[in-house]
Amino acid sequence: MIVMKFGGTSVESAAAIARVAGIVQARAERHPVVVVSAMGKTTNRLLEIANTAVAGDRDKALSLLENLRQFHHQESSLTAAIDEHFAELAELIKGLVVMGEFTPRATDAVSAYGERLSSLIVTEEFRKAGMDAVHVDARKVIVTDNRHTQAAPNFIETYKRLEGVVPPLAAKHVVVMGGFIGSTAEGITSTLGRGGSDFTASIVGAGIGAEEIQIWTDVDGMLTCDPRIVEGGHRIRVCSFAEAAELAYFGAKVLHPATVVPAIEKNIPVRILNSRRPEVEGTLIVAEAVNGGANPVKSIACKQNITAVSITSTRMLMAHGFLRRIFEVFDRHETAVDMVTTSEVNVSLTIDNTRHLASIQTELAQFSEVSIEENQAIVSLVGDNIRHTPGIAARVFGAMNGINIRMISQGASRLNISFVVDGADLTRSVASLHTEFFSTLDPAVFD
Ligand code: ASP
Ligand code: MG
């Protein structure tokens, strides 16, 4: 069995779903279990409708709902089921107008309709394409706690149900289920949080002991550099879970690695694939470290629009408790710190979220001198083998010849070397580092 997850854009229209059907059919002998997101932007639209209802604008809410109903009709011939779901949904929306309140539990009831519908529609399209598809209501197998809108799965109960229900069906049929949704022990509809379909795919894969979990997206996989900054990056054929997690933290948007933890724990490989170019083999993410041979660096990630804060002790040396006082200020203002470097009298750090920067600055100024630089960027070289490869920092400095590096740190995980440059130098820095580290490529690891 393999799990194949298709996101919102992959099932956004009848044409997109037809492409998905072709992709799944071509892999029928691997016993696919298909997990789908809501079609296109349906989840956002459902939430907008509900918020409009709660705000008291009944007519507008119902007309937006009608648009969404028509969208589903236009892309699918599953007329009766669509109308039934929208009739229920209309009752729910009218209820929200009366209540004037949108509880987390009601939020889940509403947003679950996206995947409830898309999974039925996809099942029907698969049948029309000649596959023997069966629908499994994800709410019957994914059991969660009752923290609505951010529910956590009860893994023991969920795995038990998945194991009991899915493999016997998948032996003879193509199984289709909605991502994102589940239900509490009492049977109330819940959701795993926005973007939760990847998580569902991973939970299902772990629960049924799939041989592989495929996350079908609209990119070819993970690349050696961010294509929005520098073009010409190479596809990474295989990387470790730790590398993928590090890349996501430093800005790569392909997959949120926390969502595939259940799969990695059970040692199930996860593959990122492109539903518009299914012939590309994608990026394989595996549990153990991946030796890049001559390429200790797997990718260069970056984070833009970073603010650097430099804090200098107003005494000669850093007094006892100085660091603690600094971090307490950031903590109090719920501002996460990304990178930190310290010297005898100075602490430099970077933050992403500047919402509370003015208050932070005022408080820090009570015991230190503060200077702030906006429009900085973090560049991060990521690779399992960075820790075992001497001389990487020297190569970085060589490649960055003439470009000012402001802060440099080797991550605690030692999977990355990160530094800060002025935003204006970002493209030049990444291009130059990319030439330095990816001029020759290990063909087993890169394409
Ligand atoms: N449809 C849900 C969302 O938009 C879940 C997902 O797509 O992963 O957040
Ligand atoms: Mg998604």
Side-chain angles (χ1 to χ4, degrees), residues 302-332:
C302 29
K303 245 186 180 176
Q304 289 176 274
N305 293 319
I306 294 294
T307 299
V309 184
S310 168
I311 305 149
T312 305
S313 170
T314 40
R315 307 196 188 176
M316 276 303 284
L317 290 173
M318 274 205 271
H320 166 75
F322 185 60
L323 281 175
R324 180 177 49 76
R325 288 180 77 183
I326 290 173
F327 285 106
E328 271 170 6
V329 173
F330 285 89
D331 203 36
R332 215 168 20 250

Side-chain angles (χ1 to χ4, degrees), residues 362-376:
T362 310
E363 287 186 32
L364 290 174
Q366 290 165 8
F367 59 93
S368 60
E369 272 163 27
V370 186
S371 76
I372 303 230
E373 274 187 284
E374 287 167 358
N375 191 27
Q376 304 293 298

Side-chain angles (χ1 to χ4, degrees), residues 5 7-8 37 194-198:
K5 181 263 172 175
S37 289
R194 295 304 307 272
S197 295
D198 289 346

Side-chain angles (χ1 to χ4, degrees), residues 295-363:
N295 299 96
V297 176
K298 297 284 191 343
S299 183
I300 304 168
C302 29
K303 245 186 180 176
Q304 289 176 274
N305 293 319
I306 294 294
T307 299
V309 184
S310 168
I311 305 149
T312 305
S313 170
T314 40
R315 307 196 188 176
M316 276 303 284
L317 290 173
M318 274 205 271
H320 166 75
F322 185 60
L323 281 175
R324 180 177 49 76
R325 288 180 77 183
I326 290 173
F327 285 106
E328 271 170 6
V329 173
F330 285 89
D331 203 36
R332 215 168 20 250
H333 293 286
E334 292 172 357
T335 299
V337 169
D338 281 328
M339 246 179 93
V340 187
T341 58
T342 59
S343 71
E344 193 133 278
V345 292
N346 173 275
V347 177
S348 293
L349 48 81
T350 65
I351 59 174
D352 200 348
N353 171 2
T354 53
R355 209 145 36 97
H356 303 295
L357 185 57
S359 334
I360 290 172
Q361 189 170 5
T362 310
E363 287 186 32

Side-chain angles (χ1 to χ4, degrees), residues 388-403:
H388 305 302
T389 313
I392 294 207
R395 287 175 69 185
V396 170
F397 286 118
M400 295 285 286
N401 185 20
I403 304 174

Side-chain angles (χ1 to χ4, degrees), residues 142-148 161 182-190:
I142 307 290
V143 186
T144 72
D145 62 17
N146 53 17
R147 292 191 356 234
H148 286 283
R161 293 195 192 184
S183 62
T184 66
E186 297 77 36
I188 309 299
T189 297
S190 57

